[in-house]
Amino acid sequence: MLMAHHELPAGTNPEWTVGPVPLCHPPPHTGPTMHRRMRHRRALLPAFAVTSLFLAAACSSTTPHAEPSSTAGHGRQIEVVDGPADGTDHSLTVAAAPATTATATAGPAGSGQHARRTGLAISAYDSHTRRAVLSDKPARHGSSSGSPTDSPSPSLSASASPSRSHSASPSPSGAPHQAAVGDVIASAPAPGAPHGLLAKVTKVIGETHGGTEVQTEPAALNALLGDDTAKGDVPVDPSSFAVDKLLPDVKVSWAKTGDVHVGPKGATVPLGSLRLDVSAGIPTAQGAPASAGASVKGFVQVAPKVDFAYGGSGTDAPPGSAYLGVSGDWTSGWAVKGRAAATTGTALRIPFAKLHADPVLQVGPVPVVVNLDLTCYVQISADGRVTVDVQQSLKGAFKAGGTFGPAKGWTPVSSSTMKSTPVHASVSTDGSLKTALGAEASVGLYGAVGVSADLAPYLRGEAAGTVTTGSAGTPAKSKGAWSVYGGVDLSGTLRLQLSVFGTPIIQRSIPLGALHREWKLAAGTF
């Protein structure tokens, strides 16, 4: 039996470069000191009780390969290296957004009107025509189940003009809700836009009973974040996941602060973690005795975090850096018994649960909607000859994502550290079996998938030997050796849609690269 802890080689962490520009112009008669104080006050945003605040910062654009600070974490501030010469802090706070999230708007490039919170909200959106209706109703990003408008009917009004009216307070009752051509809007999930909305106004159509109707087109984050910088990782509230059970015997558990717990009685889940228990039968090899019936039983427990970073170069230029990914703590344990059916070179993958969440990050004044999907599965690969009774537990952390730099463009980031606990194993006869209890993950922004990853901790058993047939009345004898191995595979892809940062479009999908680790757990003879 051997326990191992495999570290990812150094040099695979994402790197950032940034550039400084004030978020907005100071009001008249204020100096640089007052400007910094006002920016600091605006950056203090509320967060969910179940998350911690991550203060963001990064290196200046003159240090393109500075490593992230090792002190990053809950409640700690990342040191700013080689900041701007004027001493102004241009980093934005990254935190979980409050339940009622303000929409952010910015003027066209070159207008000098930087991103700010506004009283306007998306009350309806049609993804086919890309028409939206803006109103002064506050948006709750947890209530986006309203049906999309099929085609918002324009109700043109003489009072509807492209003049700007971006007041932080709601418009008076009966007053027109105005927007300007060129405005860029970022919204949390809203009716018709369940994954959030990041769009630019191309035409002001007119007033309707619900607000101002506008024609939009897709926009990019650099139009809102400009020259600012942001970096942080925010835990995903486990209660925010929608879980679709694909097998009958799947149990879901989670726990959050406030002594809130969901799941089977007696199930213990750490705060911030989501756990899924599964028990399922596996196709049995043809001709196997009834006693060799195959089954798998186990659990996956994960505490996912969304990782986000941005280092601006301007509203009309690609950012100096960007990063999007998913990471977290992982615990799994499973047992496999019996003689699984033979395969024809293709592993049998059995999904048992699909999960989805749309956590909203508050990046300064901008709500950044992250779309996170997880599919948990059991995977079996066997030759139908070996009978096993194995059990393994794994614990560790993982990270998968993509990082952007002007020199190399988009490059993959992947790492996994897993440590196995003592294992019970028994393998008989001659053959092989490999089982995995893993998860496919995808993470994107505003409905555009950017990164997909497949994390598959596995257990592999093999036996080799001979069977000697005795004479009449003498039982057959077998002699051989067996071994059991633990391991983890991590693979994935960077996708075209990561251009939502404002970076050049990826012309093809980029593999994350296969990360493979394996260690011996036990061995014996028969």
Side-chain angles (χ1 to χ4, degrees):
M1 183 183 306
L2 179 65
M3 297 195 310
H5 188 186
H6 293 269
E7 300 289 344
L8 184 72
T12 55
N13 287 332
E15 300 173 340
W16 336 102
T17 51
V18 301
V21 151
L23 178 65
C24 58
H25 294 298
H29 311 300
T30 60
T33 300
M34 179 63 72
H35 182 206
R36 289 194 297 271
R37 289 176 180 171
M38 294 179 69
R39 285 182 50 82
H40 178 68
R41 285 195 294 269
R42 283 193 297 268
L44 296 178
L45 302 170
F48 286 128
V50 295
T51 60
S52 301
L53 182 65
F54 290 84
L55 299 178
C59 326
S60 79
S61 56
T62 59
T63 313
H65 296 293
E67 290 291 335
S69 169
S70 61
T71 61
H74 293 275
R76 297 181 180 178
Q77 184 170 359
I78 303 172
E79 180 183 2
V80 178
V81 182
D82 296 334
D86 63 1
T88 304
D89 181 9
H90 299 286
S91 61
L92 300 177
T93 302
V94 178
T100 302
T101 306
T103 300
T105 62
S111 67
Q113 295 172 335
H114 300 276
R116 58 177 174 174
R117 285 178 288 179
T118 175
L120 296 177
I122 305 295
S123 61
Y125 179 71
D126 181 2
S127 60
H128 299 290
T129 63
R130 290 179 176 161
R131 290 186 178 185
V133 176
L134 306 179
S135 71
D136 57 6
K137 297 178 181 179
R140 287 185 63 89
H141 65 72
S143 56
S144 59
S145 58
S147 59
T149 56
D150 294 331
S151 181
S153 336
S155 176
L156 296 175
S157 167
S159 63
S161 66
S163 60
R164 181 174 308 279
S165 178
H166 287 324
S167 171
S169 58
S171 303
S173 178
H177 308 293
Q178 297 173 344
V181 172
D183 282 354
V184 179
I185 302 170
S187 170
H195 304 304
L197 184 64
L198 178 61
K200 182 171 71 173
V201 176
T202 59
K203 181 181 179 181
V204 178
I205 297 173
E207 296 302 316
T208 72
H209 67 279
T212 302
E213 185 180 8
V214 296
Q215 184 71 51
T216 69
E217 66 180 17
L221 272 172
N222 60 332
L224 285 161
L225 299 179
D227 281 2
D228 290 294
T229 67
K231 180 184 174 186
D233 52 358
V234 176
V236 181
D237 180 358
S239 66
S240 68
F241 280 97
V243 181
D244 182 11
K245 301 178 184 180
L246 304 180
L247 292 180
D249 196 5
V250 175
K251 299 179 176 65
V252 180
S253 309
W254 53 260
K256 57 188 290 187
T257 53
D259 198 25
V260 180
H261 174 271
V262 168
K265 184 177 180 180
T268 302
V269 183
L271 291 179
S273 291
L274 179 74
R275 172 169 168 155
L276 295 101
D277 288 76
V278 61
S279 178
I282 302 173
T284 305
Q286 186 175 5
S291 59
S295 64
V296 62
K297 183 178 182 179
F299 74 92
V300 170
Q301 181 177 290
V302 61
K305 294 187 293 185
V306 170
D307 304 330
F308 177 90
Y310 173 89
S313 294
T315 57
D316 54 355
S321 66
Y323 178 74
L324 178 66
V326 59
S327 63
D329 296 326
W330 173 281
T331 303
S332 62
W334 69 101
V336 180
K337 294 183 179 182
R339 187 184 303 178
T343 62
T344 57
T346 303
L348 174 64
R349 177 168 292 200
I350 308 171
F352 61 86
K354 289 186 176 182
L355 304 90
H356 177 82
D358 294 301
V360 183
L361 308 184
Q362 193 74 51
V363 182
V366 181
V368 176
V369 185
V370 181
N371 316 121
L372 181 60
D373 287 277
L374 296 171
T375 300
C376 298
Y377 63 84
V378 176
Q379 185 166 296
I380 308 293
S381 177
D383 61 12
R385 301 195 309 268
V386 64
T387 300
V388 300
D389 182 359
V390 294
Q391 182 176 340
Q392 180 184 219
S393 295
L394 284 176
K395 188 175 183 178
F398 69 95
K399 175 179 287 188
T403 183
F404 175 82
K408 296 183 179 180
W410 281 102
T411 55
V413 173
S414 62
S415 67
S416 176
T417 58
M418 293 285 175
K419 182 170 64 176
S420 59
T421 60
V423 63
H424 162 74
S426 173
V427 181
S428 61
T429 70
D430 182 13
S432 64
L433 170 75
K434 181 179 178 180
T435 69
L437 190 63
E440 295 177 351
S442 69
V443 58
L445 298 176
Y446 302 101
V449 175
V451 180
S452 62
D454 191 342
L455 178 67
Y458 67 83
L459 188 67
R460 183 172 68 86
E462 60 184 14
T466 59
V467 178
T468 303
T469 303
S471 58
T474 304
K477 296 181 180 180
S478 61
K479 182 179 181 181
W482 60 267
S483 300
V484 178
Y485 301 85
V488 60
D489 290 324
L490 177 61
S491 59
T493 306
L494 295 180
R495 301 293 181 87
L496 172 75
Q497 292 92 333
L498 273 173
S499 58
V500 71
F501 276 99
T503 61
I505 294 177
I506 298 175
Q507 298 300 326
R508 58 182 176 83
S509 295
I510 301 175
L512 287 181
L515 177 68
H516 174 74
R517 299 284 184 270
E518 185 175 272
W519 52 92
K520 194 172 185 178
L521 292 170
T525 59
F526 59 87

